[in-house]
Amino acid sequence: SDVLDAPRASTDAPAWYLAEADALRLTAAIRAGDAVLARGALARHPPAPATLALLADPGTYLLDAAKAERLEGGDALAAWERLVRFDRDFPRHPARADAFDEMLALFGLLPPDLETLVLERVVKERGTAAIDAKTTKRRVEGLLADDRPGAASRFLASLGARGDAGDLADVREAILA
């Protein structure tokens, strides 16, 4: 039997120990795609300053908390807020690249004004080459749907050489149509 599941575990174990155990549970839940287990860990130890102060690697916990929001029933806006906190509070964290991958994965799940912020942050951190064809197409389609072909053209031009890539020929044609 797991000591953490034993009666009185929450009063017998030090707070840091319980927080670290939930950090491990959260990581495992994300790997397994288990939203229920992930939400249980986050309910016991939300990614708030009090919890983060208990952990040996608070940055990973905050990043995992954002990833958990991409599981079934999650909240893309909460994921975005956690990723922004991660970016601000852990600028030298070794999982920084993962955080920007998570930001791009939220593209299409967030309101259009936040999509603009996602793109700005990712381009600032990684350059225009990081914007894949799927994300570019989604952004251009959104701008064209809003009857903003000029903005779509400027967006594509802002990508520089990436905007001229062969995998975006159909996007360029859609702007000209």
Side-chain angles (χ1 to χ4, degrees):
S1 171
D2 185 352
V3 68
L4 296 175
D5 294 328
R8 299 178 344 133
S10 63
T11 58
D12 291 346
W16 68 265
Y17 180 85
L18 296 173
E20 289 288 353
D22 270 337
L24 291 171
R25 284 187 174 123
L26 179 59
T27 299
I30 291 165
R31 287 184 184 158
D34 188 333
V36 173
L37 184 59
R39 298 212 199 312
L42 289 169
R44 286 185 300 275
H45 290 96
T51 296
L52 298 178
L54 297 171
L55 298 169
D57 187 356
T60 295
Y61 192 76
L62 185 57
L63 180 56
D64 282 352
K67 289 178 180 180
E69 293 298 343
R70 289 204 27 244
L71 296 174
E72 185 177 340
D75 179 354
L77 188 55
W80 168 250
E81 291 168 353
R82 290 170 180 172
L83 290 168
V84 169
R85 277 181 51 205
F86 178 88
D87 183 33
R88 180 193 66 219
D89 295 348
F90 302 98
R92 298 185 194 279
H93 196 279
R96 191 165 173 79
D98 292 341
F100 284 93
D101 289 343
E102 287 297 313
M103 284 183 189
L104 280 177
L106 289 173
F107 200 83
L109 303 174
L110 295 169
D113 58 325
L114 289 180
E115 286 183 347
T116 300
L117 291 176
V118 169
L119 288 174
E120 286 174 4
R121 282 184 179 262
V122 172
V123 168
K124 181 180 176 187
E125 180 72 17
R126 293 186 168 172
T128 56
I131 308 300
D132 63 5
K134 178 182 172 188
T135 302
T136 301
K137 289 176 185 179
R138 164 107 170 93
R139 179 67 174 160
V140 168
E141 287 169 359
L143 291 169
L144 293 175
D146 288 343
D147 198 28
R148 299 178 58 203
S153 181
R154 286 188 301 278
F155 168 69
L156 203 56
S158 75
L159 297 179
R162 176 69 186 113
D164 295 329
D167 61 345
L168 296 176
D170 58 332
V171 174
R172 288 189 299 278
E173 289 175 17
I175 291 172
L176 296 174

